[in-house]
Amino acid sequence: MQLRPVSGLPEIRPGDDLASLLAERIDPGPDSVLCLASTVLSKAEGRFAALEEFPAGPRAREIAARLEERTGEEKDPRFAQAVLEESTELLMESPFLLTETRFGHICVNAGIDRSNTGGEDLLLLPKHPSESAARLSEALSVPVIVTDTCGRPFRHGQRGVAIGWAGMPASRDWRGEHDRDGRELGVTVENVIDELAAAANLVAGEGDGGVPAVLVEGFEFGGMAGSDEHFREVEDDYVRQALRGWSHE
Ligand code: GDP
Ligand code: MN
Ligand code: MN
Ligand code: MN
């Protein structure tokens, strides 16, 4: 498997035709997957915002005040308001905002970016990453994964995760396959889109490198069954249930 950075893409602006810009620069084969940083999808979709578009309500002011107290850093209540408006559930509000976005992704600050925002205050995540991925996948005849850089619990640092995908299953199901001792695997469902997203994010980098797209070549899904389960529903997410328990204590 190889990862090829797609270079030479311009600064993306609202209304840009990402499919054409990408089509000029890639030649995907049957075992290719295109990984695209959500940042450029957001830019093409015009998801820029100014803080003044989010006048803070009482809840956002309360959250920002508590965050300031806890972290000792200045917090803009309008940013808290933006996060609330992009979210359907607030899982933690201190010492950072952990929320669920409208499309089911749980992350800090609803994934709102304050870097690589094309000079605007904020860049919101794409509205429907999987729907956008589907349009690109159709136009380019290649599976597409939309990535974002994200932190994770229990470990330091961030890495790329998949927040949208199309043209391939999210996971491959190893259940029923065998290990080296002939034991049947009973549990393992491998989330392939997160794995590819992490690898692509490694190639894309986080700064001013200008590589928002990475073409994975020679990736073979194998004969395993596929599954499109990705974001957990709360009923089978015990960590989230525990967080709810805490916040209601
Ligand atoms: P995120 O992980 O989706 O939040 O995106 P990042 O801000 O980490 O950017 C990922 C990569 O895309 C980095 O190499 C950036 O330099 C690059 N990038 C971000 N915006 C643009 C853009 O408009 N045009 C180009 N060519 N590269 C960009
Ligand atoms: Mn981001
Ligand atoms: Mn990033
Ligand atoms: Mn193992």
Side-chain angles (χ1 to χ4, degrees):
M1 188 176 107
Q2 292 204 330
L3 285 95
R4 194 182 293 278
V6 180
S7 49
L9 284 163
E11 178 69 24
I12 303 300
R13 298 180 198 289
D16 278 356
D17 182 357
L18 275 182
S20 307
L21 289 169
L22 290 162
E24 290 163 11
R25 293 171 173 83
I26 61 171
D27 183 16
D31 293 328
S32 298
V33 177
L34 181 68
C35 297
L36 185 67
S38 51
T39 289
V40 287
L41 197 51
S42 294
K43 286 178 175 177
E45 293 177 1
R47 297 278 286 156
F48 299 100
L51 278 166
E52 65 189 27
E53 290 169 51
F54 299 98
R59 185 90 175 90
R61 287 202 298 272
E62 181 191 308
I63 287 170
R66 186 157 339 111
L67 281 175
E68 272 194 4
E69 204 174 297
R70 175 109 180 241
T71 64
E73 290 161 22
E74 206 175 312
K75 298 288 173 183
D76 193 323
R78 297 170 302 175
F79 184 73
Q81 182 69 34
V83 173
L84 289 177
E85 290 185 23
E86 283 296 295
S87 305
T88 52
E89 186 180 346
L90 186 55
L91 284 95
M92 280 177 67
E93 52 181 76
S94 176
F96 51 78
L97 286 165
L98 183 71
T99 76
E100 179 177 6
T101 66
R102 296 185 186 285
F103 57 91
H105 172 50
I106 293 175
C107 61
V108 172
N109 292 338
I112 300 176
D113 258 321
R114 283 178 284 191
S115 60
N116 282 329
T117 62
E120 299 292 328
D121 291 339
L122 308 175
L123 187 62
L124 313 181
L125 284 180
K127 267 222 152 88
H128 304 290
S130 287
E131 289 175 21
S132 307
R135 280 191 291 275
L136 284 171
S137 173
E138 183 99 346
L140 298 165
S141 304
V142 65
V144 171
I145 297 172
V146 179
T147 71
D148 194 21
T149 304
C150 217
R152 58 266 167 88
F154 313 119
R155 313 170 82 85
H156 285 288
Q158 289 93 41
R159 54 78 178 89
V161 296
I163 64 165
W165 74 102
M168 66 180 290
S171 299
R172 53 185 177 194
D173 191 344
W174 288 85
R175 289 174 297 182
E177 303 286 327
H178 293 88
D179 75 0
R180 291 166 62 80
D181 309 312
R183 261 186 224 108
E184 191 173 308
L185 302 179
V187 179
T188 307
V189 177
E190 182 186 17
N191 189 305
V192 172
I193 56 173
D194 268 349
E195 292 181 312
L196 293 176
N201 199 68
L202 181 65
V203 172
E206 304 293 349
D208 61 2
V211 179
V214 173
L215 189 68
V216 179
E217 294 175 317
F219 169 68
E220 284 172 34
F221 190 88
M224 289 72 90
S227 154
D228 262 338
E229 289 189 329
H230 185 54
F231 302 120
R232 279 186 191 275
E233 300 294 333
V234 70
E235 303 80 59
D236 77 340
D237 189 339
Y238 300 112
V239 174
R240 193 157 146 199
Q241 289 174 26
L243 280 173
R244 277 187 176 178
W246 272 349
S247 56
H248 295 161
E249 258 165 27

